[in-house]
Amino acid sequence: MSFLNSQTSTAIADRPSAQVLIIGAGINGIATFRDLALQGVDVVIVEKNDYVSGASSASSHMIHGGVRYLENGEFRLVKESVEERNGLLKIAPHYVKPLQTTIPIFSTFSGVMAAPLRFLTHKQGAKHVERGAMLIKIGMMIYDAFSRDGGSVPRHEFRGRTKALAALPLLNPGLKYTATYYDAAMHDPERLALDVLRDGLDAGPHARAANYVEAAGMDESGVLLRNVITGEEFRFQADVVVNTSGPWTDLTNDALGQPSTFMGGTKGSHVVLDNPELLAATGGREIFFEHEDGRIVLIYPLKGRVLVGTTDLEHDMTQPIRCTEDEIDYFFDLIAHVFPTVRVDRSHIVFRFAGVRPLPRHDDETPGFVSRDYRIESRPLPRTDAADGTLLSLVGGKWTTFRALAENLGTDILKLLGLPRTVSTEGLAIGGGRDWPASEEAQLVWVQAHGDAVGTDRAAALLARYGTRANEVIDFLIDPVGPADAPLRHNTDYTRREIEFLAGSEGVVRLSDVLLRRTSLAFVGAVTTPLIEEIALVVAPVLGWNAARCAAEIELARGTLIDVHGVDLAPVAEAVLVDQAVLVDQARLGADE
């Protein structure tokens, strides 16, 4: 059960060396870790916060080919992206699903003359010119040629105003056409990343990982690693050090004594809305369109809510990353443009988040035209009593291409180590996508087979939540050694034993890890102060927290949700804190017995 909880800074400090040290456990670092682990490489990955808690946790929840990259001339990236999208639909079907996407179009020929200028200069021009139907049609035809995967992905479809409004009647009646095509939705990015990490760890003891461990410095005797919870420090030696800390790459290199100016990330913000009218208006499809300022934005139904994003703003990585009130006003303006009769206001926001894209430095280039492709920068690392090592810095990268990026980066690392590639991850199922029951009939068989243990509704929910790794969860829920399971009082979608499983097996260090990344509770707006308190009491005995630590975690989680994600939470009642102290101590005593 404890595949991640055995992975701690202590386990790494006990053997402070490896062939490869990866710094930064976003999706690209984790995927590179998996790729190397499958080759048998002695590899360690560390992350100064929780796994996949930085830029990778702030995505638009899409796996897409990047149709707009065609305008930038990035045909290689589009081809790779659509191939990887099609591949992820097959190897991670539990989290990556087909997504019907519709573009509302308000003109016929607009943008035809401006497009060559944008293509050649990567600048918008003095005045934004909307992309009309002809330009979008050309782009869709090229996109089809790249993305159809032997015909398994439907071709795009153009509709005139009458048919478009018949399908989506609340769209702006001023539109002239719609273009509809298919990309893919990524329902649970953080859980997909944990599956990738688990695959790497399952390769054997040569693969080790730890969250809440930062790279604090480096000299010729190795990298100084620090446990950010305990303050413990130790030196770690590796032949190859890989910096995959995304938009923080330059800051990480500075800490390592290797200054760089590779990065120029831009901030993208999103809001999650609980608005049934807007949800119904989308017709179950993503609405993907160009706002009047030229930004590409989206309105996207997900988990019974509507995700709206994103912005593309310059950001100083030394400053907090927050979704601002101005950005929220921007989102409301774009919703009004697409669905003018749907009322949306701040009372509908249940969650907000922002992240910085790990883009390369781009100076005066317009943010929207900065390449989403990736490159690898290499430097020698002088070492005492050993040949020089190598520092590799990943610049760029995105969710859609994480597998291909990791295989390319992994191949470069293998060459540095003088090792052959023995395994390709192309077509290799990820985590709970292994043995996935692809058809409705097969899923029904799976659910019925496991329904005797936990009930068919519960089995279906767990299959959707964890893929076929739901087997492990179910085995834990019905283990007679543990206490009887029961739904949480303040959210019956989860049970006490399921939360115990997550805390005991998935590297949870802080309470916010459960609320924000091991579950979707915060994303859908289900977190309340009583629920935070209840989950803390479930987690505390599993992780050995005393009453003081439990109270501190509650306040830290509340502060993060309020300050970073704009969640409206009631204060913790003092009487509740007293009760918690008693309950935590009782739970710990029971666990000790």
Side-chain angles (χ1 to χ4, degrees):
M1 164 186 168
S2 56
F3 80 93
L4 270 176
N5 285 40
S6 63
Q7 303 293 318
T8 66
S9 64
T10 301
I12 294 173
D14 287 345
R15 183 165 67 87
S17 65
Q19 291 172 295
V20 179
L21 171 65
I22 300 173
I23 302 169
I27 185 55
N28 290 315
I30 287 173
T32 303
F33 171 80
R34 173 189 187 237
D35 186 83
L36 292 173
L38 292 173
Q39 317 307 318
V41 172
D42 185 9
V43 59
V44 165
I45 187 169
V46 295
E47 164 59 48
K48 70 175 181 179
N49 296 303
D50 190 20
Y51 299 113
V52 71
S53 61
S56 296
S57 69
S59 77
S60 295
H61 288 61
M62 290 175 59
I63 297 293
H64 64 100
V67 63
R68 74 182 183 86
Y69 304 156
L70 293 171
E71 191 173 59
N72 296 8
E74 295 188 275
F75 299 110
R76 189 213 69 80
L77 179 61
V78 174
K79 183 175 185 295
E80 179 182 69
S81 296
V82 295
E83 288 173 350
E84 291 302 304
R85 179 203 67 190
N86 294 342
L88 285 169
L89 286 165
K90 298 170 184 175
I91 66 177
H94 54 320
Y95 294 138
V96 180
K97 312 284 185 181
L99 177 64
Q100 189 178 22
T101 302
T102 291
I103 305 173
I105 306 168
F106 293 87
S107 69
T108 303
F109 299 106
S110 178
V112 171
M113 299 303 294
L117 178 65
R118 288 196 294 256
F119 181 88
L120 293 171
T121 67
H122 287 191
K123 290 183 172 58
Q124 189 64 62
K127 182 180 179 182
H128 167 63
V129 180
E130 178 186 7
R131 296 160 180 86
M134 179 173 288
L135 196 60
I136 292 173
K137 179 69 174 179
I138 293 170
M140 290 284 97
M141 292 170 65
I142 298 172
Y143 199 61
D144 275 351
F146 280 135
S147 70
R148 294 201 66 224
D149 191 29
S152 63
V153 179
R155 291 185 182 277
H156 79 275
E157 179 182 76
F158 256 72
R159 286 185 173 180
R161 179 179 178 276
T162 300
K163 289 185 177 180
L165 292 177
L168 297 170
L170 293 185
L171 280 176
N172 188 327
L175 63 78
K176 290 189 175 182
Y177 315 91
T178 59
T180 297
Y181 66 102
Y182 278 83
D183 261 328
M186 178 170 53
H187 290 193
D188 290 279
E190 295 84 358
R191 294 219 55 85
L192 175 55
L194 286 173
D195 264 9
V196 176
L197 181 62
R198 166 75 179 273
D199 283 355
L201 292 169
D202 283 349
H206 59 277
R208 293 172 288 161
N211 51 351
Y212 294 95
V213 173
E214 66 176 337
M218 183 172 64
D219 60 24
E220 293 183 356
S221 62
V223 178
L224 178 65
L225 296 181
R226 178 187 299 134
N227 183 314
V228 301
I229 304 296
T230 66
E232 172 200 13
E233 293 183 348
F234 57 95
R235 291 283 174 183
F236 192 92
Q237 295 185 344
D239 298 318
V240 181
V241 177
V242 187
N243 181 355
T244 55
S245 52
W248 292 273
T249 293
D250 289 333
L251 297 181
T252 298
N253 283 340
D254 286 349
L256 297 176
Q258 296 284 330
S260 64
T261 55
F262 299 142
M263 307 306 296
T266 61
K267 186 182 75 166
S269 295
H270 301 76
V271 293
V272 181
L273 305 174
D274 185 0
N275 185 314
E277 185 182 12
L278 181 61
L279 180 64
T282 66
R285 64 182 79 179
E286 176 195 34
I287 310 300
F288 183 77
F289 61 99
E290 179 185 18
H291 199 32
E292 60 187 13
D293 60 0
R295 291 178 186 163
I296 303 298
V297 291
L298 57 91
I299 300 172
Y300 172 16
L302 186 66
K303 296 180 180 292
R305 304 290 185 263
V306 182
L307 178 65
V308 182
T310 177
T311 49
D312 204 358
L313 305 171
E314 303 289 352
H315 185 76
D316 178 354
M317 289 308 299
T318 64
Q319 300 301 309
I321 306 167
R322 300 288 186 271
C323 175
T324 66
E325 294 303 314
D326 286 345
E327 288 175 295
I328 291 172
D329 289 339
Y330 173 81
F331 292 143
F332 288 168
D333 285 344
L334 69 87
I335 294 170
H337 175 62
V338 177
F339 295 111
T341 64
V342 177
R343 186 184 71 83
V344 178
D345 59 42
R346 279 170 168 74
S347 70
H348 297 124
I349 300 175
V350 296
F351 191 70
R352 64 181 79 174
F353 61 95
V356 175
R357 302 170 183 88
L359 303 181
R361 181 177 176 179
H362 52 271
D363 298 322
D364 64 343
E365 189 171 25
T366 304
F369 288 99
V370 179
S371 175
R372 267 53 174 176
D373 213 337
Y374 54 88
R375 72 176 194 269
I376 301 160
E377 297 283 349
S378 177
R379 292 180 179 177
L381 285 182
R383 295 191 296 170
T384 302
D385 302 326
D388 285 357
T390 304
L391 171 65
L392 299 178
S393 298
L394 174 63
V395 181
K398 62 196 190 89
W399 258 103
T400 301
T401 56
F402 74 80
R403 188 215 61 83
L405 182 155
E407 189 156 291
N408 290 335
L409 178 52
T411 297
D412 286 353
I413 295 167
L414 290 170
K415 289 178 181 176
L416 288 170
L417 298 174
L419 298 173
R421 171 168 292 280
T422 58
V423 177
S424 172
T425 56
E426 185 174 3
L428 186 64
I430 294 172
R434 198 169 294 115
D435 301 321
W436 174 254
S439 66
E440 289 185 12
E441 293 79 6
Q443 290 179 27
L444 181 61
V445 169
W446 193 99
V447 166
Q448 290 176 336
H450 295 82
D452 290 342
V454 294
T456 53
D457 288 347
R458 181 81 171 127
L462 293 173
L463 177 64
R465 194 171 287 164
Y466 304 105
T468 53
R469 279 190 171 148
N471 285 323
E472 299 173 17
V473 184
I474 292 172
D475 288 345
F476 182 80
L477 298 183
I478 65 174
D479 186 346
V481 175
D485 199 12
L488 296 177
R489 289 175 54 208
H490 299 287
N491 190 297
T492 55
D493 288 341
Y494 286 84
T495 67
R496 291 179 59 87
R497 293 283 286 164
E498 185 178 353
I499 298 298
E500 288 176 1
F501 177 87
L502 297 175
S505 68
E506 292 197 347
V508 169
V509 174
R510 296 206 175 281
L511 181 58
S512 56
D513 300 341
V514 177
L515 301 171
L516 287 165
R517 288 171 290 278
R518 304 307 183 275
T519 71
S520 299
L521 290 167
F523 183 87
V524 300
V527 173
T528 62
T529 295
L531 179 62
I532 294 173
E533 295 163 352
E534 182 181 12
I535 291 178
L537 292 176
V538 175
V539 169
V542 179
L543 299 183
W545 293 348
N546 59 21
R549 174 70 186 272
C550 186
E553 288 294 332
I554 289 170
E555 282 307 304
L556 182 61
R558 289 184 71 257
T560 299
L561 289 164
I562 293 168
D563 176 53
V564 179
H565 300 292
V567 179
D568 185 16
L569 293 172
V572 178
E574 188 146 341
V576 172
L577 287 174
V578 175
D579 290 343
Q580 284 171 350
V582 174
L583 289 170
V584 168
D585 289 339
Q586 288 177 346
R588 292 183 71 235
L589 286 172
D592 291 341
E593 293 172 0

